[in-house]
Amino acid sequence: MKTERKPHLIKKHTDMKCQRVEGSVVPGLEEATQVGHLLAEPKSEHVSVDRVLCFGKENLEKHLKMEDFFSCALDYSWRINCGGLHGQGGDDLKLEVLDGLLDEVDEADDIQAAHDLSGACEDFQLDIEFPEKYSESDCAPHEESNLHNLTSQSHAPGFSGTRSSAVGTLESSIATIRESNSKNGVLEKMVGCDLHHTFKRKFGCQAPVTNTIRSIIEHKQNTTRSIIEHKQSFDESDDDEKPLVSFIFSTKSVKSTVEVTKGGSLLRQKRLRKPTNRYIEEFSRNSTTGKNKRLKVGSQGELPQVASELQRRRGHPKKIVPKLELESDCELSASESEDEHKRSKRSKMACDRRKHQRMWTLAEVIKLVDGIAQYGVGRWTDIKRLLFASSAYRTPVDLRDKWRNLLRSSSAHKHNRRELQCETKPKHVVRPLPMPLVCRIHELATIHPYPMARSPKKPSDRYVPSSKQPRTTEAAPSHSPGRKLRRKKCR
DNA sequence: TTTAGGG
DNA sequence: CCCTAAA
């Protein structure tokens, strides 16, 4: 092959890397530099990382300068820092990708998944697709090269399909790096670093998150290898690749690596990914909410609608751990699709209701209160069906629970206001409910007394008793009142 | 299957 | 949020 050029390339890359690092005088470029670093490192060590990351090999032969690519990365980072990428969307993308990575590693042991790979991969790529303008305006000069490399090195059609995927892979390749370099501690660190910085920049204080993620990934690295063995035994036709793959993982060496990658076996292993539950669910929400952040061009766009409905029923053992918790609580409109960051995983089969604490956004609360005002307390399924149809999570029971909590907190609110009126500050007000909302809740509570509200536990504030009959107002007493207190006394 | 209530 | 009993 063209291996004789390798030494040359190594040197070149290394030099550039150094240049870049040294050149990062401007604080703002720090992150960008790391991106560049991240990209450069695998190449300089000749660890086969990913299609796109590897494109340097051929691109260089085409006299494409890494410098240019770095500037792409720089610009990319700059845009993110400036909120240029869809504003929140940028964050979403990162999280999405990151979460996806974990899922990917997690679910990779499903052999079947390995063969869904290319398809899933494609969607995944599309999902994290970056604004077209970016790839066109900034990477235009390299467009051809990128395309070439993508097509020549990737067996997944999705990668050659979109130019912007070159940038998208920049993100997703982080996963690949992790997976394919289980032994590369340095790289690992770097990636972690990069993630850390990125998150810190985005969310101010997300260090724990990245740490968690990192540890999770580390835990899973062992698994990765066995996954690969799995895969190998499955691909019987690729016999001669096995040694190579093993070789890659046992050493950091090189030359053959690229060839293996081209062979496609490694690619498939790395990119293992069937659409995660999260992906499915999120898609369904986005499409129903009508506020898609990313356009799904994916071929299988509609599938999730049904799937999410199927899997939202509960009744699953709990596994899972909430992973990320980024709750932007104050946004009414955006919150719906935003609070999408904790997910469960790891269920060999069957779906899990990966709920486990999904924070209620203010918007949701308001919606719930509206619903209660409309349909009355106790019609949880109705409310769910009519107002929360778009959110697959939030079962009627959840609504009820939330209402219960709202009652409690709202009453506490009042109490606090009375008792602590003069007091300095009410400790740590966790999620300060907006006053109007509290009032509304209160009103509703008196109109539709929730059975529990009358229990000694919560004497409510003044007034509750007797008149459960709604005194006019609002839309709907409608439902038979008997339904509500029906069982209270039986116990 | 839905709701209430307790944990 | 989860579970269970009651309806």
Side-chain angles (χ1 to χ4, degrees), chain A residues 82-143:
Chain A
C82 297
L85 284 179
H86 277 26
Q88 274 266 352
D91 299 347
D92 259 15
L93 290 183
K94 281 180 175 292
L95 289 170
E96 174 88 359
V97 171
L98 207 68
D99 195 25
L101 305 186
L102 297 174
D103 281 344
E104 177 174 352
V105 179
D106 219 30
E107 299 170 358
D109 46 352
D110 184 356
I111 297 185
Q112 188 59 41
H115 292 268
D116 293 342
L117 170 62
S118 45
C121 227
E122 180 174 354
D123 286 341
F124 184 55
Q125 286 298 320
L126 290 174
D127 188 33
I128 62 175
E129 189 171 289
F130 280 66
E132 193 74 14
K133 60 172 184 178
Y134 168 63
S135 53
E136 282 182 354
S137 61
D138 298 319
C139 290
H142 323 306
E143 178 176 324

Side-chain angles (χ1 to χ4, degrees), chain A residues 314 353 355 360 368 393-403:
Chain A
R314 56 170 58 161
R353 148 200 183 107
K355 224 165 124 169
W360 276 75
L368 173 62
Y393 48 97
R394 305 297 181 220
T395 67
V397 176
D398 293 328
L399 302 187
R400 183 191 51 105
D401 283 340
K402 182 56 182 175
W403 176 245

Side-chain angles (χ1 to χ4, degrees), chain A residues 189-238:
Chain A
K189 218 172 190 170
M190 262 178 17
V191 176
C193 232
D194 180 71
L195 287 174
H196 184 78
H197 275 265
T198 303
F199 272 85
K200 214 158 83 179
R201 200 171 280 274
K202 296 297 163 289
F203 305 103
C205 55
Q206 286 300 320
V209 172
T210 32
N211 285 335
T212 306
I213 293 171
R214 193 178 321 166
S215 63
I216 291 175
I217 291 179
E218 282 170 2
H219 271 357
K220 288 176 180 168
Q221 280 180 341
N222 293 335
T223 327
T224 311
R225 205 159 314 177
S226 59
I227 294 166
I228 285 163
E229 288 164 8
H230 244 78
K231 180 73 177 92
Q232 285 172 346
S233 58
F234 197 92
D235 293 335
E236 296 167 347
S237 55
D238 297 337

Side-chain angles (χ1 to χ4, degrees), chain A residues 426-449:
Chain A
K427 279 101 182 176
H428 55 299
V429 189
V430 193
R431 289 158 58 83
L433 239 42
M435 216 32 216
L437 189 55
V438 175
C439 291
R440 187 111 183 270
I441 292 173
H442 244 87
E443 197 172 325
L444 281 174
T446 62
I447 293 173
H448 314 275

Side-chain angles (χ1 to χ4, degrees), chain A residues 61 75 78 132 149 154 237 262 296 336 349 437 444 465:
Chain A
E61 292 173 4
D75 189 68
W78 179 81
E132 193 74 14
N149 284 287
S154 167
S237 55
K262 284 187 164 185
K296 307 293 187 16
E336 277 278 327
M349 41 194 17
L437 189 55
L444 281 174

Side-chain angles (χ1 to χ4, degrees), chain A residues 150-313:
Chain A
L150 288 172
T151 47
S152 65
Q153 297 196 2
S154 167
H155 287 241
F159 292 115
S160 55
T162 39
R163 263 167 289 137
S164 43
S165 66
V167 187
T169 314
L170 192 143
E171 284 289 315
S172 61
S173 52
I174 294 176
T176 311
I177 295 172
R178 285 186 174 281
E179 290 179 41
S180 60
N181 296 281
S182 315
K183 290 205 165 181
N184 192 341
V186 179
L187 191 56
E188 172 78 17
K189 218 172 190 170
M190 262 178 17
V191 176
C193 232
D194 180 71
L195 287 174
H196 184 78
H197 275 265
T198 303
F199 272 85
K200 214 158 83 179
R201 200 171 280 274
K202 296 297 163 289
F203 305 103
C205 55
Q206 286 300 320
V209 172
T210 32
N211 285 335
T212 306
I213 293 171
R214 193 178 321 166
S215 63
I216 291 175
I217 291 179
E218 282 170 2
H219 271 357
K220 288 176 180 168
Q221 280 180 341
N222 293 335
T223 327
T224 311
R225 205 159 314 177
S226 59
I227 294 166
I228 285 163
E229 288 164 8
H230 244 78
K231 180 73 177 92
Q232 285 172 346
S233 58
F234 197 92
D235 293 335
E236 296 167 347
S237 55
D238 297 337
D239 273 348
D240 36 0
E241 285 183 6
K242 294 181 186 177
L244 287 180
V245 177
S246 317
F247 183 61
I248 298 168
F249 280 87
S250 55
T251 76
K252 292 179 194 156
S253 132
V254 230
K255 320 218 154 146
S256 43
T257 315
V258 176
E259 272 66 47
V260 173
T261 304
K262 284 187 164 185
S265 118
L266 200 52
L267 295 187
R268 274 171 293 166
Q269 293 153 6
K270 283 186 291 192
R271 307 297 303 171
L272 290 186
R273 183 169 217 283
K274 57 188 175 190
T276 63
N277 289 333
R278 169 180 176 174
Y279 172 79
I280 292 173
E281 190 174 321
E282 170 144 33
F283 178 86
S284 92
R285 172 162 39 266
N286 278 339
S287 55
T288 51
T289 320
K291 40 201 249 45
N292 316 14
K293 268 198 191 105
R294 359 166 200 285
L295 298 182
K296 307 293 187 16
V297 213
S299 43
Q300 41 158 304
E302 286 73 17
L303 129 193
Q305 292 287 3
V306 194
S308 79
E309 196 54 27
L310 287 181
Q311 55 178 271
R312 60 167 266 275
R313 236 29 241 193

